[in-house]
Amino acid sequence: MAPTRSSRAAFVLLGGVQVTLIFTLAAVAVPLPGIGVEFGVRREELILLSAAYGLTFAGLLLFGGRLADRYGGQRTLTAGLLVFGLASAAAPLAPGYGTLLAARLAQGVGAALIAPAAMAVLRTVFPSPAAYGGAMATWGGLSVLGATAGNLLSGVISALLSWRWAFAVPLAVTVAALVLAPRVLPAATGSHSGTGGPEHPARRPRLDLPGALLATAGLASASYGLVLTDAWSWTSGRVLAPLVAGVVLLAMFVGAERRAPDPLLPPRFLLDRRRALGLAATALTAAGTATVFVLFSLHLQDERGWSALRTSAAFVPFAVALLASGRVAGRLIGRYGAPVVTGTGLAVGAVGLVLLALLGMNGTVPYAYGLLPGFVLLATGVAASFAGAAVLATDRVPAERTGLAGGVHNTAMETGPTVVFALVLGVGGDTASLAVTAALFGTAALALRLA
């Protein structure tokens, strides 16, 4: 059945919110040095500021998904938008580093409620499996679109205005979503519909607070330890302390989930092979995109002497190729299946990464030959990979666990870049990091081919 006018409007609203969540992740990436100068803070404090949003976002996603399943997608979405919007209003008014850090952490809390709740509401907008699968094929590319927009616009806004104006985007989108949601989204009909309601309290999942605390603390601590590898060695106490603490807490989380009567993350939920491959592809694709954005943002400004504005403009072809590929990915999935499209996307992305490793880091090779082909191929591949992986990760999920699926999917998307980026940077220089990432893409493509 073709999407109706109301379902398209709901998708545009929810999709715009999802793009904004990832946009906000990258909103301070380019202007970070200027923020350091303005507030007079050290490198390690800037690293924490850069990671703060992602730490609470990734750490609370599983709990956010459980809240969406228990209290309904619309209620959780509204609560998340309120938290996210208030934090987005406070950030540009921050008089100092501490206030800005607190605002970024609070933004992550709101985002962790919004992301899985939006996917739960999406399930009610597209109730049939075929319609939901088609919606998820498009949904999968929204996050990389948000990351691309964040890198593009943050540089432009910083160059023309101030880093503080970058927060106008999430604030405006949040206000619009709060105003339009009651008019555009379907009315709440029950906890199993994904939009909330007290009609079936006996079937509501328990919140599993011990599991939520262990998962949040473990993911946040381990991610912070990995982020610090940018400034200190793996053997440094600054890195080892949070890293070891995070691993221990996550191990305790796994043990607690096995004993919990209604676990936050049921162990069997990840045993579905298609779902596991989809989550792995999501994490890896997000990591590859983030790696390229970070490495080339630094390379173009530090090695080639480009301005922040010119650096942002260099990624415009990436965004164009991303949009073009995303428009056809859904049709390809319907014709060839999600595993084939995901694997092919990873293979094409691997070729783009190889070209960037061989030519992109060579400052003597012009942009048109050294970076442009790699950017276009990578964007084409990751759009297809994200679309197919989103379908695989949410396929055959019961309606009452849609919030959980959204939380797990977004957790893979948020933690993948932190883990993979820290690991590939440890192999050597930028060229080696790109080559290793390309090898990981190729390996994942082969795994999907053999699945």
Side-chain angles (χ1 to χ4, degrees):
M1 184 176 66
T4 64
R5 182 176 180 180
S6 60
S7 65
R8 285 194 294 267
F11 185 89
V12 169
L13 175 63
L14 295 171
V17 171
Q18 176 69 12
V19 168
T20 304
L21 297 184
I22 310 302
F23 169 92
T24 306
L25 188 67
V28 300
V30 176
L32 203 60
I35 295 174
V37 172
E38 180 174 339
F39 291 149
V41 295
R42 301 184 303 272
R43 178 181 175 85
E44 56 265 31
E45 292 172 310
L46 287 178
I47 292 173
L48 178 57
L49 179 63
S50 177
Y53 176 78
L55 291 177
T56 48
F57 190 0
L60 287 167
L61 272 168
L62 292 177
F63 190 54
R66 179 49 58 96
L67 289 174
D69 287 337
R70 178 174 172 81
Y71 295 110
Q74 271 204 37
R75 291 179 178 178
T76 308
L77 178 68
T78 300
L81 286 170
L82 289 171
V83 174
F84 186 77
L86 290 172
S88 298
L93 302 176
Y97 172 81
T99 307
L100 181 58
L101 177 63
R104 291 286 285 173
L105 290 168
Q107 279 184 315
V109 173
L113 298 177
I114 294 170
M119 290 182 66
V121 176
L122 196 68
R123 184 66 174 265
T124 67
V125 175
F126 300 96
S128 73
Y132 183 65
M136 287 309 302
T138 303
W139 188 270
L142 295 180
S143 294
V144 70
L145 177 62
T148 305
N151 280 273
L152 288 173
L153 294 181
S154 64
V156 174
I157 292 172
S158 299
L160 300 181
L161 299 170
S162 163
W163 63 265
R164 297 177 184 270
W165 281 95
F167 292 97
V169 175
L171 180 58
V173 172
T174 301
V175 172
L178 286 169
V179 172
L180 294 175
R183 307 176 185 178
V184 173
L185 301 181
T189 57
S191 61
H192 281 265
S193 72
T195 52
E199 292 87 342
H200 305 291
R203 287 187 278 172
R204 288 182 180 179
R206 299 178 184 178
L207 289 182
D208 185 19
L209 290 177
L213 291 173
L214 289 171
T216 301
L219 286 170
S221 181
S223 298
Y224 181 56
L226 290 170
V227 166
L228 292 179
T229 59
D230 177 68
W232 290 280
S233 70
W234 285 84
T235 57
S236 168
R238 292 176 180 266
V239 172
L240 285 177
L243 199 56
V244 171
V247 171
V248 170
L249 288 167
L250 289 175
M252 293 172 62
F253 168 70
V254 173
E257 295 301 275
R258 291 179 177 176
R259 298 187 299 270
D262 197 355
L264 182 71
L265 178 59
R268 291 188 178 184
F269 188 79
L270 299 178
L271 294 182
D272 183 283
R273 190 174 184 182
R274 285 168 59 91
R275 187 174 301 131
L277 287 172
L279 293 171
T282 295
L284 186 57
T285 306
T289 307
T291 299
V292 167
F293 282 160
V294 171
L295 292 183
F296 282 97
S297 292
L298 294 173
H299 168 75
L300 293 176
Q301 294 180 78
D302 296 342
E303 303 297 328
R304 301 199 184 194
W306 289 20
S307 65
L309 190 60
R310 188 180 179 188
T311 299
S312 293
F315 289 99
V316 169
F318 186 100
V320 173
L322 187 73
L323 290 171
S325 180
R327 288 182 63 86
V328 301
R331 293 194 294 271
L332 292 175
I333 291 171
R335 182 171 182 179
Y336 299 106
V340 173
V341 174
T342 307
T344 303
L346 287 167
V348 173
V351 175
L353 286 166
V354 169
L355 289 179
L356 290 173
L358 295 175
L359 301 174
M361 286 294 171
N362 187 340
T364 63
V365 180
Y367 172 85
Y369 305 109
L371 279 81
L372 184 59
F375 278 171
V376 170
L377 284 174
L378 178 62
T380 301
V382 300
S385 176
F386 263 126
V391 173
L392 290 172
T394 56
D395 190 29
R396 297 194 294 266
V397 174
E400 66 271 15
R401 287 188 172 177
T402 305
L404 170 63
V408 173
H409 175 67
N410 281 279
T411 298
M413 191 181 305
E414 293 305 312
T415 57
T418 302
V419 175
V420 176
F421 191 51
L423 293 176
V424 299
L425 285 184
V427 303
D430 294 345
T431 299
S433 297
L434 292 169
V436 170
T437 306
L440 292 174
F441 268 52
T443 302
L446 180 60
L448 281 159
R449 176 65 178 173
L450 298 176

